[in-house]
């Protein structure tokens, strides 16, 4: 595997399931890294995975598929089809700049999101006679988010009758966004099955309140009265992804308990919408010691299927929905294996369609027998590419940490691994910090590419990783530079005992919190590592607190602002900038110019410190990248510089 081949792989996305449940629709996107242009092909494949054929959309974008009707948009025109895209009927014209379009079940209403100016913040909006001014004026926080400056426009939900009529902004004058920023989509909005209203997820806070809170709620908007009701009052954490049961009598959603803790345990909650216990809420996963992911209802509403991190992978689970008050929900794990089930698509005739990947294979579609957990591939978009190369060997290794805990460590070996040889070895530090180190397949931090260049990769599931119990995941907060660093060093020391690991050629790499870990370890590794690479890492916690946007994260995980009395100990014990005097090994620093989560000063400060100290160092700067690297040629440049640095220093 090479960086160029990696970027040329096809990227599979599910689009829907046929009415008879025998076929799945999907797209296959391939990027030409030489031109950075992409080609998207659409296919229909039988569930058995034996055949596929092109599916022609005629320029239309299909955005909603129900059992009997499909909906598509082309320019500003809306269409419907009752024969799965063979014939289309125009039903509405005038959806200008509409996003996240949803048609009500009775087809009488269209809901969509659209940005509207609510609070003028751009100079030209404040002073119409100065159309060329570039001034931006702010009097509160969240003046920028992820990679975008606030412009005073907010994404609102609009509703319009399909037969024409007035377009209504149901969030008129509210400085709030639906979908949730920065990554929300159509999962944040759903029509009720009776078409009498819709439910949407929103954080109805502004400025400093928004910047310091994770309290999103689910709101029900009733068409007849125009009234909006908060259905999750008293639930102070994240509430998102509302989904009605097949019979419409219950609503399920994902929920976190605590305000301000973005990595809190994710539970699946349901609410009764019918009968004497109307609006009663039940936490289905309250007594389960893991965090839930994406979900879908079972066919008859008696159970819910969901994904979750599990012991260094992501698997499929099932939880029953109680019918009686004395019935208890029970979680069951349905699948097992060295792979990630990273998405649930929906139901086919007899099987559940999911997306699946592993460290050697990009995402493809699979069909799962939920009775016994067996599965088979439906799509094979990259089989030819993988069949032309040798794959890496991937093993889970159990290591005892410094405090006597069991820790799972992924070890990725070169394709032609020979235990009689010695290999340079890289300690990979995961970001998050509370994101799963599973069998993910990344188009940047790709272990397959690293191993193909002759490196062994050691990837520990250190403190803070989901999939190893709620406590393990939560223990990293306010202890960033403590036990997690000892977990890292324990993992690399354990592997270094193997005769095939060249202890004189150990490197340490990572991004985000992983980049922070690199900076931290650079000042405490006691000569273990010969080279470091940090990407968008936190270097100086005081300056980071003053420039990052989502302050709820800094408040919870670091302990609060640096001027608090007493000052949170993270600013003294766990701030990498305090230990630059102990840096000894070469370090390459990568920084994105539009990264507002870990802003540019973090990378520049670290690079300047290394340079002034006379340490061999390199700055790799991408002016047009955020916390990630999304452009193809930037991605390949990243890979080339990555391996060039390791070749020079390791």
């Amino acid at each position: 595997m090479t960086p160029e081949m990696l970027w040329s792989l096809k990227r599979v996305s599910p689009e829907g399931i046929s009415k008879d449940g025998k076929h799945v629709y999907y797209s296959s996107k391939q990027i030409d890294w030489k031109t950075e242009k992409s080609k998207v092909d659409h296919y229909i494949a039988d569930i058995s995975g034996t055949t596929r054929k092109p599916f022609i959309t005629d320029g239309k974008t299909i955005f909603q598929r129900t059992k009997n009707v499909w909906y598509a948009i082309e320019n500003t025109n809306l269409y419907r089809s009752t024969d799965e895209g063979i014939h289309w009927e125009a039903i509405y014209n005038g959806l200008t700049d509409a996003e996240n379009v949803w048609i009500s079940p009775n087809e009488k209403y269209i809901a969509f999101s659209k940005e509207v100016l609510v609070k003028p913040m751009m100079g030209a909006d404040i002073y119409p006679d100065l159309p060329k001014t570039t001034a931006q004026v702010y009097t509160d926080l969240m003046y920028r988010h992820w990679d975008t400056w606030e412009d005073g426009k907010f994404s609102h939900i609009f509703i319009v009758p399909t037969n024409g009529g007035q377009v209504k902004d149901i969030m008129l004058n509210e400085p709030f966004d639906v979908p949730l920023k920065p990554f929300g989509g159509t999962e944040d909005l759903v029509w009720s099955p009776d078409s009498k209203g819709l439910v949407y997820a929103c954080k109805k806070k502004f400025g400093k309140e928004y910047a310091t809170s994770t309290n999103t709620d689910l709101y029900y908007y009733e068409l007849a009265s125009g009234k909006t009701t908060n259905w999750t009052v008293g639930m102070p954490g994240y509430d998102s992804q509302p989904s009605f049961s097949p019979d419409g009598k219950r609503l399920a959603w994902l929920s976190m308990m605590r305000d301000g803790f973005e990595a809190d345990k994710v539970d699946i909650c349901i609410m009764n919408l019918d009968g004497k216990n109307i609006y009663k809420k039940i936490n289905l996963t309250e007594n389960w010691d893991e965090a839930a992911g994406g979900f879908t209802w079972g066919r008859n509403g008696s159970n819910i299927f969901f994904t979750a991190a599990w012991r260094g992978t992501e698997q499929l689970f099932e939880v029953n929905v109680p019918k009686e008050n004395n019935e208890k929900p029970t979680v069951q794990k349905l699948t097992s294996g060295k792979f990630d089930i990273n998405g649930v698509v929906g139901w086919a005739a007899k099987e559940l369609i999911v997306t699946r990947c592993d460290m050697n294979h990009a995402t493809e579609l699979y069909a799962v027998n939920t009775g016994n957990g067996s599965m088979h591939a439906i799509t094979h978009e990259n089989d030819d590419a993988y069949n032309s190369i040798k794959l890496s060997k991937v093993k889970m290794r159990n290591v005892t940490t410094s405090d006597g805990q069991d820790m799972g460590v992924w070890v990725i070996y070169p394709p032609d691994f020979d235990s009689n040889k010695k290999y340079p070895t890289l300690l990979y530090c995961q970001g998050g910090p509370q994101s799963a180190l599973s069998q993910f397949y990344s188009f940047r931090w790709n272990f397959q590419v690293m191993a193909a260049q002759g490196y062994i990769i050691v990837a520990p599931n250190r403190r803070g990783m989901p999939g190893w119990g709620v406590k393990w995941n939560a223990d990293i907060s306010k202890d960033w530079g403590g036990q997690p660093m000892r977990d890292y060093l324990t993992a690399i020391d354990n592997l270094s005992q193997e005769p095939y690991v060249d202890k004189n050629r150990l490197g340490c790499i990572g991004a985000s919190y992983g980049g922070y870990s690199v900076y931290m370890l650079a000042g405490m590794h006691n000569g273990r590592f010969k080279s470091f690479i940090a990407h968008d890492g936190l270097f100086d916690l005081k300056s980071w607190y003053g420039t990052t946007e989502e302050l709820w994260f800094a408040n919870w995980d670091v302990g609060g602002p640096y001027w608090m009395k007493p000052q949170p100990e993270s600013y003294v014990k766990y701030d990498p900038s305090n230990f630059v005097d102990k840096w000894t090994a070469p370090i390459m620093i990568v920084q994105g110019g539009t990264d507002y989560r870990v802003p540019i000063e973090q990378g520049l400060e670290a690079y300047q410190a290394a340079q002034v100290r006379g340490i061999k160092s390199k700055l790799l700067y991408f002016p047009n990248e955020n916390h990630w690297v999304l452009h193809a040629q930037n991605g390949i440049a990243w890979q080339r510089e990555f391996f060039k640095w390791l070749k020079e220093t390791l």
Side-chain angles (χ1 to χ4, degrees), residues 60-267:
K60 296 178 177 61
T61 299
I62 302 169
F63 63 86
Q64 186 177 342
R65 288 175 167 91
T66 67
K67 186 175 181 180
N68 298 312
V69 186
W70 287 9
Y71 301 98
I73 192 168
E74 183 179 16
N75 298 321
T76 63
N77 298 311
L78 197 64
Y79 299 85
R80 70 189 296 272
S81 172
T82 56
D83 54 13
E84 299 189 320
I86 298 174
H87 301 94
W88 292 97
E89 170 194 3
I91 58 173
Y92 187 83
N93 180 31
L95 287 181
T96 305
D97 299 325
E99 297 181 309
N100 304 296
V101 183
W102 273 103
I103 310 299
S104 63
N106 63 9
E107 296 190 275
K108 294 183 178 180
Y109 297 95
I110 305 164
F112 61 92
S113 65
K114 182 178 179 179
E115 291 217 325
V116 293
L117 182 63
V118 178
K119 287 180 173 288
M121 299 178 191
M122 308 303 286
D125 293 324
I126 300 171
Y127 305 109
D129 61 329
L130 302 177
K132 295 183 178 180
T133 181
T134 59
Q136 300 176 205
V137 183
Y138 302 100
T139 58
D140 215 325
L141 291 185
M142 293 309 291
Y143 51 86
R144 59 183 186 178
H145 198 182
W146 187 246
D147 61 3
T148 305
W149 284 82
E150 179 60 70
D151 61 1
K153 295 178 180 178
F154 294 83
S155 180
H156 283 188
I157 300 172
F158 291 80
I159 295 177
V160 61
T162 51
N163 62 2
Q166 183 178 2
V167 180
K168 183 175 182 179
D169 179 353
I170 69 170
M171 301 169 63
L172 188 65
N173 297 324
E174 294 185 1
F176 315 127
D177 287 298
V178 178
L180 298 169
K181 296 293 181 73
F183 304 122
T186 53
E187 72 279 0
D188 288 339
L189 171 69
V190 61
W191 281 98
S192 61
D194 59 11
S195 298
K196 293 182 179 179
L198 51 82
V199 177
Y200 64 90
C202 184
K203 179 161 51 167
K204 296 206 172 187
K205 297 179 182 295
F206 177 76
K208 286 181 285 294
E209 283 193 343
Y210 187 104
T212 55
S213 173
T214 58
N215 185 16
T216 64
D217 282 301
L218 301 184
Y219 294 87
Y220 175 71
Y221 175 80
E222 185 180 55
L223 282 175
S225 66
K227 181 181 178 181
T228 299
T229 305
N230 185 348
W231 274 2
T232 52
V233 173
M235 303 182 74
Y238 272 117
D239 293 291
S240 62
Q241 300 186 30
S243 176
F244 285 93
S245 60
D247 61 7
K249 295 181 179 180
R250 285 172 166 171
L251 181 77
W253 72 97
L254 298 180
S255 182
M256 292 185 184
M257 182 181 296
R258 290 169 284 187
D259 189 8
F261 187 17
E262 70 172 25
D264 202 0
K265 180 191 175 188
V266 181
D267 283 312

